[in-house]
Amino acid sequence: MKRKAKFKLSMPIPQKLARTQEIIDSIGINTGVFVTPSPPLADIQTAKDQLSKAYNAALDGGRTAKAEQRTANENLNNLLRPLRDYVNEVANGDEDIVLLSGFEASKIPTPIGEMPAVVINSGKGGDGDGSITLRWTTVYGAKSY
């Protein structure tokens, strides 16, 4: 099964800064695999540094500092998404290549197995001609009934 690079954008900012630097470093030392990162790593480094500065300013700052932090955070997110997509394109599902990038690899879904039959708990005539109302116990993993 193919694995994809993933990155939780909503993590706390100090953790995001550290993870982003790990990704920049990992892709930077694996230039034989990641030949032309898109967006360029320099752009991501700049956005990361701007977020770090805005985060530190917002610790003691007011509304304006917090607004600048939110903007810097979104700017970094807007660069990490296409970088993640670039890594996925290069890796083409190869977990080892995904991990070389510093991104985490998506989990392989666990099959839920055989689905049990739906048990209808009750049924009665519906509101209109030819209609019926049924009640049943939901089945874990069912996509529709």
Side-chain angles (χ1 to χ4, degrees):
M1 171 158 297
K2 290 188 172 194
R3 304 287 293 273
K4 291 189 172 191
K6 69 175 193 163
F7 189 89
K8 184 179 176 185
L9 296 172
S10 62
M11 69 179 65
I13 290 175
Q15 183 181 355
K16 180 184 280 186
L17 294 169
R19 290 285 302 122
T20 300
Q21 191 61 56
E22 289 172 15
I23 291 166
I24 292 168
D25 294 344
S26 294
I27 292 175
I29 63 171
N30 289 296
T31 56
V33 177
F34 305 106
V35 180
T36 55
S38 178
L41 296 181
D43 293 354
I44 295 167
Q45 183 71 55
T46 299
K48 186 203 89 108
D49 293 344
Q50 288 171 345
L51 177 56
S52 179
K53 182 179 175 184
Y55 173 75
N56 289 327
L59 291 174
D60 296 327
R63 289 183 186 179
T64 302
K66 292 193 185 287
E68 289 172 1
Q69 175 187 306
R70 284 190 296 276
T71 299
N73 189 36
E74 191 55 37
N75 288 341
L76 180 57
N77 288 346
N78 289 337
L79 292 172
L80 288 171
R81 286 182 193 104
L83 183 64
R84 178 198 59 209
D85 295 342
Y86 166 79
V87 166
N88 284 329
E89 184 178 322
V90 169
N92 194 28
D94 185 325
E95 179 183 9
D96 292 333
I97 294 175
V98 168
L99 295 175
L100 270 180
S101 72
F103 280 98
E104 292 181 44
S106 61
K107 294 181 181 174
I108 296 175
T110 305
I112 58 175
E114 293 261 339
M115 301 284 287
V118 173
V119 176
I120 297 176
N121 298 330
S122 67
K124 65 178 184 174
D127 295 333
D129 288 340
S131 68
I132 187 169
T133 300
L134 299 174
R135 297 198 189 281
W136 60 86
T137 305
T138 59
V139 175
Y140 172 75
K143 300 285 185 206
S144 63
Y145 295 91

